[in-house]
């Protein structure tokens, strides 16, 4: 039962990495750039939910949902706060793309990379000025545990919610990119941006929408991450962002199923390494596995090798 418990924990943690990795892989697949500020958007979304939830519980909750049962009222208020965080992070993603990345559309990859790191540090320092540098305790969106097999296996509702949210987001994103008009425009820009523009697709709007969707997903990931590890501070998104980027590369960056698979596998590896080897060496093992996989398959597990034209 211990192994099963660790496995479920790993899948839950990997689901968070997968949701974050979807933002990385969408931006890279369409804009061909790495948005290393993505992890800090997670932090912004978490702070929005933290303060909005506190406000809802003190005043807004009583006004809007005063007649509802307490559990239902709390759930509805939390849902409203999460949607608010998604909107804020989506707008923030559009602003970041317009101000920091759009002027560098034709610049080299190094200039874009340095800009992304600069945006990351700007968001962290702005958060320290606005919210303070001290950590705060984040209240999980759900509490309690599910007990199975006469108490031998306990699964938190946060873990179940995280896994279900990841699967729903994965399916919704797959359907969106394959069936909707905007999704098809994103796929066209991913294949050939110049040809897509000649066919009448607004490339700038498509890239902005990609940043908005990825940043909105980052808000969901931030809420789930802080529910899993309920400590929030301006650097909260840094390490999960790096691990999610690792998951995207591991599964094949640019591939939505690859981001999902990479995130789940990395979460399982991290949980099992912490349980059976060492908590101090878990990150080392994680990145060592990535190096080994990339040595065997440089494009990632589900990535496609694209020959470079010279």
């Amino acid at each position: 039962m211990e192994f099963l418990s660790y496995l479920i924990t790993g899948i839950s943690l990997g689901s968070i990495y997968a949701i974050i990795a979807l933002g990385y892989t969408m931006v890279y697949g369409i804009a061909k750039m790495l948005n290393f500020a993505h992890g800090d958007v997670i932090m912004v979304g978490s702070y929005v939910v933290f303060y909005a939830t506190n406000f809802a519980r003190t005043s807004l909750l009583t006004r809007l949902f005063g007649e509802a049962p307490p559990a239902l009222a709390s759930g509805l208020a939390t849902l409203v706060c999460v949607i608010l965080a998604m909107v804020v992070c989506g707008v923030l993603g559009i602003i970041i793309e317009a101000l920091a990345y759009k002027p560098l559309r034709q610049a080299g990859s190094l200039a874009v990379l340095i800009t992304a790191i600069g945006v990351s540090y700007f968001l962290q320092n702005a958060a320290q000025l606005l919210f303070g540098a001290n950590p705060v305790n984040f209240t999980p969106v759900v509490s309690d545990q599910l007990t199975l097999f006469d108490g031998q296996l306990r699964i938190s509702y946060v873990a179940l919610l995280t896994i279900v949210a990841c699967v729903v987001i994965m399916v919704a994103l797959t359907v969106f990119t394959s069936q909707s008009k905007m999704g098809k425009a994103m796929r066209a820009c991913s294949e050939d941006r110049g040809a897509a523009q000649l066919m009448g697709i607004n490339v700038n709007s498509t890239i902005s929408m990609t940043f908005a969707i990825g940043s909105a997903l980052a808000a969901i990931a931030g809420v789930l991450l802080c529910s899993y590890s309920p400590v929030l501070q301006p650097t909260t998104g840094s390490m999960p962002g790096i691990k999610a980027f690792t998951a995207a590369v591991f599964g094949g960056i640019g591939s939505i199923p690859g981001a999902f698979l990479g995130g789940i596998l990395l979460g399982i590896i991290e949980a099992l390494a912490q349980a059976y080897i060492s908590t101090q060496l878990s990150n080392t093992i994680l990145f060592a596995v990535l190096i080994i996989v990339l040595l065997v398959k440089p494009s990632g597990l589900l990535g496609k090798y694209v020959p470079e034209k010279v």
Side-chain angles (χ1 to χ4, degrees):
M1 287 300 170
E2 282 188 359
F3 176 79
L4 185 57
S5 177
Y6 294 142
L7 183 64
I8 294 172
T9 300
I11 294 173
S12 171
L13 182 60
S15 297
I16 297 174
Y17 293 156
I19 296 173
I20 305 171
L22 287 171
Y24 277 112
T25 206
M26 285 183 66
V27 170
Y28 180 82
I30 295 167
K32 295 296 182 288
M33 60 158 290
L34 298 174
N35 179 23
F36 280 112
H38 191 64
D40 299 288
V41 177
I42 297 169
M43 172 268 298
V44 173
S46 301
Y47 270 111
V48 171
V49 172
F50 175 77
Y51 285 106
T53 303
N54 288 343
F55 174 72
R57 285 174 180 165
T58 54
S59 59
L60 190 63
L61 183 64
T62 328
R63 295 177 187 174
L64 295 181
F65 310 115
E67 302 298 325
L72 177 61
S74 178
L76 290 173
T78 302
L79 179 61
V80 170
C81 295
V82 173
I83 293 173
L84 174 64
M86 292 175 65
V87 173
V88 171
C89 287
V91 172
L92 178 62
I94 293 174
I95 293 172
I96 290 173
E97 192 277 330
L99 297 180
Y101 300 136
K102 187 176 179 180
L104 301 175
R105 243 357 115 64
Q106 306 301 323
S109 56
L110 182 60
V112 178
L113 177 63
I114 293 172
T115 301
I117 295 172
V119 172
S120 173
Y121 279 112
F122 172 80
L123 291 176
Q124 288 184 25
N125 285 277
Q128 287 187 15
L129 291 174
L130 290 173
F131 310 124
N134 295 326
V136 295
N137 293 322
F138 190 95
T139 304
V141 290
V142 290
S143 55
D144 296 330
Q145 293 179 330
L146 178 66
T147 305
L148 301 173
F149 303 111
D150 296 327
Q152 297 183 35
L153 179 63
R154 294 181 179 180
I155 307 171
S156 67
Y157 286 122
V158 170
L160 294 176
L161 176 64
T162 302
I163 295 169
V164 170
C166 179
V167 173
V168 170
I169 289 171
M170 169 69 186
V171 172
L173 206 56
T174 303
V175 172
F176 173 78
T177 54
S178 61
Q179 302 296 328
S180 69
K181 184 176 180 181
M182 178 56 71
K184 292 177 181 178
M186 290 178 178
R187 289 165 56 199
C189 291
S190 176
E191 290 292 332
D192 191 323
R193 198 186 303 173
Q197 193 166 10
L198 289 174
M199 295 300 294
I201 294 174
N202 190 327
V203 174
N204 290 329
S205 298
T206 304
I207 293 176
S208 296
M209 181 58 67
T210 304
F211 270 84
I213 294 173
S215 299
L217 293 180
I220 299 175
V223 173
L224 297 173
L225 175 67
C226 290
S227 297
Y228 178 85
S229 178
V231 176
L232 176 59
Q233 55 189 349
T235 56
T236 289
S238 298
M239 184 53 72
I242 293 172
K243 291 180 179 178
F245 170 69
T246 303
V249 175
F250 186 50
I253 194 162
S255 167
I256 292 177
F260 176 78
L261 178 63
I264 297 296
L265 289 178
L266 249 65
I268 293 173
I269 293 169
E270 182 176 351
L272 296 181
Q274 289 178 348
Y276 293 110
I277 302 176
S278 169
T279 54
Q280 285 84 10
L281 294 176
S282 60
N283 288 341
T284 305
I285 295 168
L286 205 65
F287 292 113
V289 170
L290 172 68
I291 292 170
I292 293 170
V293 170
L294 292 181
L295 287 173
V296 177
K297 199 173 188 298
S299 58
L301 295 176
L302 299 182
K304 296 180 181 178
Y305 171 71
V306 180
E308 186 176 351
K309 298 178 181 179
V310 295

